[in-house]
Amino acid sequence: MLIRKTQTAAIVALMAAGTLAVFAQDAFTPPENPQDAIAMREALMKENGGVLRGAANLTGAEAVAAAQTLLDNYTQMPALFPEGSEGGDALPAIWENWEAFTAIIETGRAGAEAALAGAEAGDATAYAAGIQAVMGTCGQCHQQFRS
């Protein structure tokens, strides 16, 4: 009986997390002008850095929340680099090599997705591997596309 209650509670928690994720993604509004794009992407990158600094030590709901934040951010990232938003730390190489830039973002998004799946399943190894994948894309992108 205890196992059935635990399974039911886990299913309810996952459904709630999925619902929250849908609403969080719906809340994203793309930038209206280049200055907003620069400010939004700089804030997003700082948030990612903050999440990643402590992500390796997280478990349970905290790991799920961290991975969900990364997934949301990587999903929104391409919209934060519209044509004409050159500036800040972003090099013109982003727009000159858009496919390479978005491929790195996609790899990060996939890593965040894997980290989220691992965190939701309580699989610390899968969560850590996903976080490592995300961290790798940060360095890769900064080397090529950040001043």
Side-chain angles (χ1 to χ4, degrees), residues 40-137:
M40 289 174 74
R41 69 183 177 230
E42 286 178 354
L44 180 142
M45 299 297 179
K46 286 180 183 175
E47 181 178 35
N48 283 353
V51 169
L52 288 168
R53 272 190 283 286
N57 299 318
L58 300 177
T59 59
E62 290 178 329
V64 170
Q68 185 65 61
T69 297
L70 293 169
L71 179 57
D72 291 346
N73 287 352
Y74 270 83
T75 300
Q76 297 164 1
M77 207 174 288
L80 300 179
F81 291 87
E83 290 278 341
S85 69
E86 293 83 354
D89 291 340
L91 293 174
I94 289 171
W95 295 273
E96 295 165 4
N97 301 303
W98 185 252
E99 290 81 20
F101 176 70
T102 55
I104 293 170
I105 292 172
E106 178 56 29
T107 300
R109 192 198 61 71
E113 202 169 64
L116 179 59
E120 288 175 338
D123 183 343
T125 302
Y127 169 74
I131 293 297
Q132 284 298 108
V134 172
M135 292 173 87
T137 64

Side-chain angles (χ1 to χ4, degrees), residues 134-147:
V134 172
M135 292 173 87
T137 64
C138 296
Q140 185 181 12
C141 193
H142 287 191
Q143 288 175 350
Q144 297 179 49
F145 299 113
R146 183 178 181 218
S147 62

